[in-house]
DNA sequence: ATCTCAGTTTAGATTTAGTCTAAGCGCCGA
DNA sequence: TCGGCGCTTAGACTAAATCTAAACTGAGAT
């Protein structure tokens, strides 16, 4: 499944006994057409242009529902900032269950080759985030 | 520079005409000993155990100052959540100046080899974040 | 046509992370 | 002893996100 499509969502709602309302339609249409990474507030602004008086709660409800269904993803972590006393260039492993962030030393990740990136973007650094289950969360099955 | 060390900070403060106070010492000592990625609130809690009545403002001031000096780094992005209608497995380029997040298709990043990761951690997915200057911000020099 | 009810939307209250402010403190040097 | 500068503090403030309770909607059931 590549991109959010209203039609897919439309049929999905029915099979779950949910309703496709005008507000939801507007939110999904906007996301479908967006080729960047909008914030909840940007969604609210844009949807209100076409369908005034849509509430913040509805936008968040819909985004969270779409997220649960895997129709949109969050970019990067939600939540508050974490500080890293290790300023060496290194990477991270994030547990999808308990959220713990562990260091992954630089040499654990082999060379990362970047091919065919548009000339226009100048990459200065990169970081790799591994995701999965940490040792603890695996034990607890 | 690998890890935050109080001694280095201590000499640095002097050369900048700044003062090493007990509060700052406590914050830095805690960070120095931390082998995870504490939040500002965790720092506040821990510091208050040893040095009660340290204020939130002082913790944030110190963390932001250490960040500016490159003595700690933020893990992942600050700020609010962005939603991605593209659920295909792909990567991102983040402009360090304007903060814009652009897609980097999966095939742009060559195979990423993960060597010698502790057996205990099970990696399910990974993502690469490239950082630098976007086309626009380069033009504006 | 009217009733009912589950699901939805809404405005506004609440929570949480983080910043800002203004008043007071403490050290150092004149 | 005094003045001043930088530091700390409590609390006000802001912004992102969640929660709540009341009103709304529309698809059956009567
Ligand atoms: Mn780290
Ligand atoms: Mn993306
Ligand atoms: Zn875990
Ligand atoms: Zn830019």
């Amino acid at each position: 499944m590549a991109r959010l499509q209203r039609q897919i969502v439309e049929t999905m709602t029915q099979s779950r006994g949910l309703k496709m309302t005008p507000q939801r339609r507007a939110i999904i249409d906007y996301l479908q057409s967006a080729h960047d990474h909008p914030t909840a507030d940007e969604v609210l602004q844009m949807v209100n242009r076409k369908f005034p008086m849509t509430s913040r709660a509805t936008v968040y409800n819909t985004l969270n529902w779409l997220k649960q269904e895997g129709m949109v993803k969050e970019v990067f972590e939600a939540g508050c900032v974490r500080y890293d006393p290790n300023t060496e260039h290194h990477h991270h492993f994030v547990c999808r269950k308990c959220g713990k962030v562990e260091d992954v030393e630089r040499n654990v990740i082999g060379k990362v080759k970047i091919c065919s990136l548009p000339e226009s973007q100048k990459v200065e650094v990169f970081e790799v985030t591994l995701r999965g289950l940490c040792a603890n969360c695996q034990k607890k099955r």
Side-chain angles (χ1 to χ4, degrees), chain A residues 95 97-100 133-134 136-137:
Chain A
C95 177
K97 185 132 174 273
C98 68
K100 202 174 154 208
L133 272 187
C134 77
N136 255 341
C137 290

Side-chain angles (χ1 to χ4, degrees), chain A residues 1-12 20 25 28-29 31-33 66 70-72:
Chain A
M1 170 199 329
R3 283 217 119 239
L4 175 67
Q5 280 177 35
R6 192 176 81 197
Q7 242 205 342
I8 295 175
V9 184
E10 203 107 18
T11 60
M12 198 172 61
M20 179 54 65
R25 222 181 297 273
I28 291 162
D29 279 354
L31 286 174
Q32 187 181 209
S33 73
L66 289 172
M71 308 298 291
V72 300

Side-chain angles (χ1 to χ4, degrees), chain A residues 83-88 90-92 101-104:
Chain A
Y83 294 87
D84 198 337
N86 178 0
T87 55
E88 200 82 65
H90 67 285
H91 308 288
H92 291 105
V101 180
E102 295 174 54
D103 280 349
V104 172

Side-chain angles (χ1 to χ4, degrees), chain A residues 29-129:
Chain A
D29 279 354
Y30 170 61
L31 286 174
Q32 187 181 209
S33 73
H35 283 267
D36 53 352
H37 304 84
T39 63
D41 203 64
E42 282 164 0
V43 176
L44 181 61
Q45 302 296 321
M46 296 306 282
V47 167
N48 263 321
R49 283 195 200 167
K50 290 201 178 167
F51 198 85
M53 304 300 287
T54 304
S55 75
R56 202 169 46 250
T58 295
V59 169
Y60 276 107
N61 286 343
T62 305
L63 285 172
N64 286 333
W65 171 64
L66 289 172
K67 189 173 68 183
Q68 293 235 329
E69 298 294 339
M71 308 298 291
V72 300
K73 283 177 170 178
E74 290 185 353
V75 190
F76 313 121
E77 316 300 310
C80 66
V81 172
R82 298 186 161 274
Y83 294 87
D84 198 337
N86 178 0
T87 55
E88 200 82 65
H89 180 243
H90 67 285
H91 308 288
H92 291 105
F93 176 96
V94 182
C95 177
R96 71 142 199 276
K97 185 132 174 273
C98 68
K100 202 174 154 208
V101 180
E102 295 174 54
D103 280 349
V104 172
E105 293 315 321
R106 189 225 284 259
N107 61 352
V108 171
I109 305 289
K111 279 246 178 306
V112 172
K113 208 170 55 199
I114 298 163
C115 0
S116 66
L117 191 71
E119 220 5 74
S120 49
Q121 296 166 337
K122 282 260 175 352
V123 177
E124 292 160 355
V125 295
F126 72 93
E127 60 217 38
V128 179
T129 305

